[in-house]
Amino acid sequence: MNNIIVFPMVLPLITGVLLIFFTPYIKLQRGITLLSLIINAIISFIMLQTIQTEGILTLHFGGWLPPFGISFVADSFATLLVLTTNIVSIFCVMYAFYTIGKEREKLYFYPFVLFLIAGVNGSFLTGDLFNLFVTFEVMLLASYALITLGGTKAQLRESIKYITINVISSSLFLIAIAYLYGALGTLNLAHLSERIDEVGQTPIITVISFVFLIVFSLKSGLLLYQWLPGSYSKPPTAIAALFGALLTKVGIYALFRTFTLLFYHEQQITHTIIGIMAALTLIGGCIGALAYTNIRQIVSYNVVITVGFILVGLAVMHTSAIEGAVFYIMHDMIVKALLFLLAGSMIYLTKSERMDEMSGLIRNYPALGWMFFIAVLSVTGIPPLSGFLGKVLLGQGAIATGSYVLLGLSFASGFIVLYSLLRIFMSCFWGETIISEEEEIPLRKGVLLPMSLLVCCTFLLGLGSEAVAVYIVDAAETLMNPSIYIDAVLYNH
């Protein structure tokens, strides 16, 4: 049964390789891509249910027991993110069917999307640091191809920054791995945790943890986010939605995993610095969201704000805050994909990215307008939408630990998010319409459907939070108690 763990990574990887041989057959590529993602989502859900009955699932490749072999580990935290990744990817790919264009589809768009998803899922499921590096690189190589796909001047300009930053962070990642292996003689996450617990988090281990913090901060956009708004605002809409929903979450996952499982002994140093970085990220993201009139830039800076907000949960390191952060990651993957798709649709219809050049869209496209309004409410955390519970739990954790500055900044950022997105809603959808009946471009049902389904997802996650709570609580318990993860990987064979 445990062999199922490898499917979320291997299935899109194999499918992507096969699709390379069917480049001329666009409809076939679309169907196979969608089918593989749906199968992946079903497998992820089965894994999640199995974890509740059998505990954490582990797979040791080739029968090599840890810490010597390659291990995949599926706990509730990783599997929740894998499931959400596959669901969001389904809708982004459906949107791409009608918007990406046949020229880009013939440039191996679907194989690269599948490679990206394989890298994301592999990053969530791997049980050792070197394979985390490998799966990161699979994801990044696919993202390099996707960010430049079509080769417009703006894409190429931003891709240079994006690739440069990631090459530097990947080099630092390898250096950090080498130092940690030199200090402890292992790279298996569970074995590393046990070794650090035995010898104590010495000053050299704490210094190495800061290198990992820099690496994962570059990947997630924690404080070092200057590359992010440009990189996420220039690719085609479906690609930007995948990036905004998934890529920063892999960096966030890596921070949560390493700073709850490995580097948790000197929290007054490591987690305090994470808290400071989260606070500065919140402030910087808010300034960016207020400063721009380009709607894609505003949505991209909202990604930055979210990174700061989620990592407040890690800095606080309280069970409620961790539960809230896990729930909020799932919510944000759904809602950020929705926001990027909505913004891209608005730009397609008006041929402009500036909100001061749009007006009255709700008269021509009422469904689009009200979906945008629901997305704004969800991001802000208005019940019964999915953003509410995560914010409440994170706030409870911050209060319980006396982290009132982080609490204040987190909830102040919520008002800035609300203002920045309501500004788009009021400016672009209300007022006198700028599109005459002759100029009106019909919004196809195939474009509206994936956005409508994402709106349904934010309602379902909010209204069904009680059903999801059992998985969230289990995920937080594993993160707060490293012994659960260690026992599952090293001793329960």
Side-chain angles (χ1 to χ4, degrees):
M1 181 65 187
N2 285 15
N3 289 335
I4 199 173
I5 303 172
V6 81
F7 273 84
M9 187 182 86
V10 169
L11 184 61
L13 206 57
I14 293 172
T15 311
V17 171
L18 289 174
L19 288 184
I20 291 170
F21 300 100
F22 297 97
T23 309
Y25 307 102
I26 299 299
K27 287 187 177 178
L28 181 66
Q29 287 198 72
R30 291 174 179 175
I32 291 173
T33 302
L34 193 59
L35 181 63
S36 73
L37 290 173
I38 291 169
I39 292 169
N40 238 6
I42 293 166
I43 288 169
S44 307
F45 183 72
I46 292 168
M47 283 167 56
L48 197 60
Q49 294 298 108
T50 309
I51 290 164
Q52 296 309 304
T53 55
E54 297 181 16
I56 295 172
L57 302 177
T58 58
L59 176 63
H60 309 300
F61 289 76
W64 287 86
L65 293 179
F68 306 108
I70 295 170
S71 298
F72 265 34
V73 184
D75 63 352
S76 291
F77 181 39
T79 312
L80 280 169
L81 299 191
V82 169
L83 176 61
T84 314
T85 294
N86 290 313
I87 290 169
V88 168
S89 301
I90 289 167
F91 301 136
C92 291
V93 165
M94 286 169 64
Y95 185 91
F97 292 166
Y98 299 93
T99 61
I100 201 75
K102 288 194 175 179
E103 287 304 311
R104 284 193 173 97
E105 285 178 306
K106 288 177 182 176
L107 292 171
Y108 308 103
F109 169 72
Y110 295 109
F112 282 127
V113 166
L114 289 166
F115 294 151
L116 180 87
I117 292 159
V120 171
N121 288 341
S123 299
F124 292 146
L125 292 171
T126 186
D128 70 88
L129 273 177
F130 185 75
N131 284 302
L132 180 62
F133 170 78
V134 172
T135 49
F136 253 117
E137 291 309 300
V138 171
M139 175 189 79
L140 288 172
L141 287 169
S143 73
Y144 298 157
L146 288 170
I147 199 172
T148 55
L149 202 68
T152 66
K153 187 178 178 181
Q155 277 179 269
L156 293 172
R157 186 180 64 245
E158 291 302 331
S159 68
I160 290 167
K161 286 193 284 185
Y162 177 76
I163 293 169
T164 303
I165 286 290
N166 277 297
V167 167
I168 292 167
S169 66
S170 294
S171 304
L172 286 171
F173 196 177
L174 270 181
I175 291 166
I177 287 171
Y179 275 122
L180 197 59
Y181 185 77
L184 297 169
T186 184
L187 289 177
N188 182 282
L189 288 168
H191 199 218
L192 277 169
S193 182
E194 199 172 56
R195 283 278 176 91
I196 294 169
D197 200 39
E198 286 169 1
V199 303
Q201 190 169 318
T202 58
I204 187 66
I205 301 295
T206 303
V207 170
I208 293 168
S209 77
F210 288 138
V211 183
F212 279 104
L213 178 57
I214 292 165
V215 170
F216 297 140
S217 296
L218 278 165
K219 306 280 190 191
S220 65
L222 175 66
L223 188 60
L224 309 169
Y225 58 81
Q226 289 71 18
W227 56 271
L228 189 152
S231 301
Y232 285 15
S233 61
K234 298 306 177 190
T237 300
I239 296 171
L242 277 170
F243 282 17
L246 305 182
L247 295 195
T248 56
K249 307 308 180 296
V250 182
I252 290 170
Y253 169 84
L255 281 167
F256 269 84
R257 184 63 77 195
T258 50
F259 283 89
T260 58
L261 184 62
L262 307 182
F263 311 117
Y264 62 90
H265 301 276
E266 296 289 344
Q267 290 182 28
Q268 70 275 18
I269 301 171
T270 52
H271 289 60
T272 301
I273 290 172
I274 291 170
I276 293 166
M277 292 173 76
L280 293 172
T281 305
L282 285 167
I283 293 165
C286 289
I287 291 168
L290 295 174
Y292 285 91
T293 57
N294 181 310
I295 60 173
R296 270 197 166 189
Q297 290 274 19
I298 294 169
V299 173
S300 296
Y301 272 103
N302 273 283
V303 173
V304 174
I305 294 170
T306 300
V307 171
F309 183 80
I310 292 168
L311 285 159
V312 166
L314 178 59
V316 166
M317 205 60 180
H318 184 273
T319 304
S320 292
I322 296 289
E323 287 173 7
V326 174
F327 194 89
Y328 204 84
I329 293 169
M330 293 173 62
H331 145 80
D332 192 67
M333 290 166 85
I334 293 165
V335 177
K336 283 299 183 294
L338 175 59
L339 273 176
F340 273 99
L341 295 183
L342 289 165
S345 301
M346 291 161 64
I347 292 163
Y348 167 74
L349 295 168
T350 60
K351 304 292 184 286
S352 173
E353 294 187 354
R354 293 173 61 86
M355 65 181 185
D356 50 7
E357 293 175 3
M358 301 182 198
S359 181
L361 287 178
I362 204 155
R363 297 185 187 184
N364 306 86
Y365 309 102
L368 192 70
W370 292 117
M371 281 194 287
F372 191 90
F373 185 64
I374 291 168
V376 173
L377 296 181
S378 184
V379 171
T380 310
I382 305 297
L385 296 160
S386 57
F388 175 68
L389 185 62
K391 287 199 168 187
V392 169
L393 288 168
L394 217 147
Q396 284 179 350
I399 291 167
T401 55
S403 307
Y404 298 114
V405 174
L406 287 175
L407 177 71
L409 281 171
S410 300
F411 284 92
S413 72
F415 290 109
I416 302 295
V417 168
L418 177 63
Y419 173 74
S420 69
L421 295 176
L422 269 183
R423 199 165 51 126
I424 296 174
F425 182 67
M426 298 305 293
S427 175
C428 300
F429 287 100
W430 297 102
E432 189 175 340
T433 184
I434 58 166
I435 301 173
S436 65
E437 287 185 16
E438 297 79 29
E439 295 173 325
E440 187 174 325
I441 304 167
L443 201 58
R444 298 166 73 178
K445 288 180 181 177
V447 173
L448 281 171
L449 180 62
M451 294 189 287
S452 306
L453 291 170
L454 283 167
V455 169
C456 293
C457 284
T458 186
F459 272 110
L460 287 171
L461 188 58
L463 293 168
S465 54
E466 194 171 342
V468 182
V470 62
Y471 309 115
I472 302 286
V473 169
D474 186 47
E477 187 182 0
T478 306
L479 288 170
M480 291 296 290
N481 299 287
S483 58
I484 298 172
Y485 186 96
I486 294 166
D487 291 343
V489 176
L490 298 182
Y491 303 114
N492 296 339
H493 302 309

